[in-house]
Amino acid sequence: MLWVDCKVLDTVRGRRRSRGAARKLSCSFWFLLLFGAGGLVLFIHLQDLSDMVQQQGPGVKFSGMTRQTREELCGQQDSDVAGSAAAAARMVRGARHDEPSADHPVSPMQFPASEWNRLAPTPGSREHELGQRVTKRHRKLLKTGPVLRPLSNSNFSSLSSSSSLSDTMPKSWWRLSRIQEARRQLMKEVCAKYRSNISRTVTPHHVSRIYVEDRYKLLYCEVPKAGCSNWKRVLMVLDGVASSTRDIGHDAVHYGNHLKRLDSFDRQGIARRLDTYTKVLFVREPMERLVSAFRDKFESPNSYYHPVFGKPIISKYRVNASKSALRTGSGVTFQEFIRYLLDVHRPVGMDIHWEPVSQLCSPCLLNYDFIGKFETMEEEANFLLRRTGAPRNLTFPTFKDRNPKAARTSTHITQHYFTQLNASDRQRAYDFYYMDYLMFNYSKPFKDLY
């Protein structure tokens, strides 16, 4: 009996050992299976991360970037912008603006974009926006992704270097289109470097000097002493106010209130016109514009500028001023005018006739489609009129309606006025208009400037 009991006990123990062994084998199998799956997932993740690192270029951002990597990329982008602006500044310093280069068909202040942006992606393209080295994988994404459109619907912003376009456009138009492309690009580069922290909100103040022509969808920013009177005549003819620019006198241009300003519209009207109209800006060599304004407002009889500006200028900057000068404000000298201009505590405020264009027309905020120059006004203005579909018989007027017998302010006349100043005041005057010189690619006017 005892022997039987022992046999039963041994049988039960054997079954328990076999169950334990089976249980141990099952746990080992699942452990190996889970370990293999984890290793496979880790291998795939490391492969994807390696691909991302290999494809990474300047401007590429993804969530796994460290703070140090972001700082390095930002520093690289800043150095690229600074390098482009520095190259533009070197071209500004390099040659006189009134002497065309022997190597280029375009004068130094109108250099084509290909001369300094030859290796850059096309502005407005997806590659340009990403700012990165494009791999095969990126190209596939670019082909399938949405196309980025330029902010402006102006036909000037859409001019390209395609062979089909060059065949259909007159040669002069093609040259002027390339000049416009270069000027817009330079202005963007300068704005990116020096005005990157400006507000992006357009207020009525920013558009207070812009005139509106709805029929031909033009927005023109008034820059006094840069052909603004004749441009207003053109806008009035386009608007149907007059049939010819010759029929419009000076008082009708400036005091007739025939033209609408952009700040007279509501917020939606302003935004719609800024997005869909051709925004036009004409500029002039800053020192010539300054001397032209001084000659017009202070050397000729003027019932507004003599009492409003002349009297406080003479009172503050002239020693032992006569009672007659203090009473009338007439006879302000150029030295006194410059002292007023450069004084941080001016006795009377700024005026649009000598306010820098970089402040007057907010070019870094409004992104102008057409940037013309007073020095080549007639050709560029007529090019603009033809491109906007203006009547064929309408051409830009060249007559001088105020003081027609007086010589136009030229480089020679400007040099004569500035010889009346010492080197320090000439430098400070240049610094006052430095952004205009840089943004619109005008050369330094005097050799002793730094």
Side-chain angles (χ1 to χ4, degrees):
M1 187 65 182
L2 182 61
W3 179 83
V4 173
D5 291 339
C6 289
K7 283 292 183 178
V8 171
L9 183 60
D10 290 340
T11 302
V12 172
R13 288 177 178 175
R15 289 179 178 175
R16 288 179 179 176
R17 281 195 299 269
S18 62
R19 288 177 183 175
R23 190 177 294 112
K24 290 180 181 179
L25 180 62
S26 177
C27 291
S28 299
F29 173 76
W30 283 109
F31 177 79
L32 291 175
L33 183 61
L34 290 175
F35 181 82
L40 181 61
V41 170
L42 179 61
F43 175 77
I44 294 174
H45 176 72
L46 291 176
Q47 280 293 108
D48 289 344
L49 183 61
S50 175
D51 291 342
M52 292 171 70
V53 171
Q54 290 177 1
Q55 295 173 2
Q56 179 183 346
V60 181
K61 297 180 180 180
F62 48 89
S63 58
M65 292 176 65
T66 64
R67 178 178 179 181
Q68 181 180 0
T69 306
R70 287 194 180 97
E71 292 175 351
E72 292 174 354
L73 292 183
C74 291
Q76 183 173 356
Q77 291 173 343
D78 290 343
S79 64
D80 291 342
V81 172
S84 299
R90 285 194 295 272
M91 298 192 71
V92 172
R93 295 191 294 266
R96 291 176 56 189
H97 71 273
D98 57 344
E99 295 179 356
S101 171
D103 299 329
H104 308 290
V106 183
S107 63
M109 65 180 176
Q110 301 166 350
F111 57 90
S114 58
E115 290 299 311
W116 60 280
N117 199 26
R118 184 174 297 142
L119 300 179
T122 303
S125 66
R126 285 296 295 261
E127 296 180 16
H128 181 269
E129 293 296 330
L130 290 173
Q132 60 184 351
R133 178 176 58 84
V134 181
T135 64
K136 291 183 179 179
R137 180 177 179 182
H138 290 145
R139 287 195 182 96
K140 186 180 296 183
L141 293 175
L142 294 176
K143 291 180 181 178
T144 58
V147 179
L148 293 181
R149 301 296 182 188
L151 294 178
S152 172
N153 292 330
S154 167
N155 50 8
F156 296 101
S157 298
S158 62
L159 291 174
S160 64
S161 58
S162 63
S163 59
S164 60
L165 182 58
S166 62
D167 292 338
T168 59
M169 288 177 60
K171 290 184 178 180
S172 60
W173 284 24
W174 179 243
R175 175 177 57 84
L176 293 171
S177 299
R178 293 295 303 275
I179 290 173
Q180 284 302 311
E181 180 184 353
R183 289 176 184 171
R184 290 193 303 268
Q185 189 67 22
L186 173 62
M187 189 171 66
K188 289 179 181 178
E189 293 287 337
V190 174
C191 290
K193 180 177 180 180
Y194 292 95
R195 299 294 177 89
S196 59
N197 59 344
I198 65 171
S199 171
R200 304 308 303 173
T201 302
V202 177
T203 66
H205 170 73
H206 292 125
V207 298
S208 61
R209 307 312 309 178
I210 295 181
Y211 287 89
V212 179
E213 205 297 298
D214 285 314
R215 183 181 300 180
Y216 291 89
K217 296 187 176 181
L218 287 175
L219 298 178
Y220 166 72
C221 185
E222 174 190 28
V223 178
K225 314 312 297 180
C228 69
S229 297
N230 283 334
W231 258 114
K232 289 181 183 179
R233 288 184 172 93
V234 169
L235 295 179
M236 291 169 69
V237 172
L238 291 176
D239 205 41
V241 176
S243 58
S244 172
T245 55
R246 286 281 179 184
D247 300 333
I248 308 173
H250 181 270
D251 290 343
V253 169
H254 293 284
Y255 311 115
N257 294 323
H258 297 293
L259 297 172
K260 295 171 289 186
R261 294 194 186 189
L262 190 54
D263 62 349
S264 65
F265 296 89
D266 59 17
R267 185 180 299 273
Q268 290 75 16
I270 292 174
R272 179 175 62 83
R273 286 169 174 81
L274 286 174
D275 287 340
T276 60
Y277 285 22
T278 300
K279 299 181 287 295
V280 179
L281 173 65
F282 271 82
V283 299
R284 185 176 184 178
E285 204 282 334
M287 296 307 184
E288 286 188 14
R289 176 174 169 247
L290 179 65
V291 171
S292 177
F294 172 77
R295 295 176 68 203
D296 182 34
K297 304 307 178 186
F298 295 102
E299 290 188 345
S300 302
N302 193 295
S303 60
Y304 174 77
Y305 282 90
H306 287 194
V308 174
F309 284 85
K311 289 168 64 175
I313 289 176
I314 292 175
S315 176
K316 182 170 184 178
Y317 304 111
R318 183 177 298 181
V319 180
N320 299 324
S322 66
K323 293 182 179 179
S324 175
L326 294 172
R327 184 180 68 255
T328 64
S330 300
V332 173
T333 66
F334 189 64
Q335 297 97 316
E336 293 167 345
F337 174 67
I338 293 298
R339 290 186 65 187
Y340 144 78
L341 181 73
L342 303 177
D343 192 347
V344 294
H345 303 292
R346 299 185 188 95
V348 61
M350 181 56 62
D351 185 82
I352 62 172
H353 287 81
W354 42 83
E355 184 175 6
V357 179
S358 55
Q359 299 176 16
L360 183 66
C361 292
S362 304
C364 289
L365 178 62
L366 301 182
N367 192 23
Y368 285 87
D369 305 300
F370 192 96
I371 305 169
K373 291 195 172 183
F374 180 84
E375 294 77 14
T376 50
M377 172 75 78
E378 187 175 1
E379 181 186 27
E380 295 182 3
N382 288 326
F383 166 64
L384 172 62
L385 292 174
R386 300 290 78 79
R387 292 295 295 168
T388 54
R392 299 291 300 178
N393 61 345
L394 177 61
T395 58
F396 190 80
T398 58
F399 56 84
K400 188 172 183 282
D401 62 346
R402 276 181 62 84
N403 305 315
K405 295 182 180 181
R408 288 186 184 273
T409 302
S410 61
T411 302
H412 176 72
I413 292 177
T414 301
Q415 294 279 348
H416 170 72
Y417 275 82
F418 273 88
T419 56
Q420 304 173 30
L421 307 179
N422 57 41
S424 176
D425 285 344
R426 283 196 297 271
Q427 180 66 50
R428 293 174 62 206
Y430 174 74
D431 294 340
F432 186 81
Y433 291 104
Y434 178 72
M435 286 305 300
D436 283 10
Y437 274 98
L438 195 63
M439 193 175 294
F440 305 116
N441 196 24
Y442 283 108
S443 302
K444 288 182 180 179
F446 314 115
K447 294 181 179 179
D448 57 352
L449 298 177
Y450 55 83

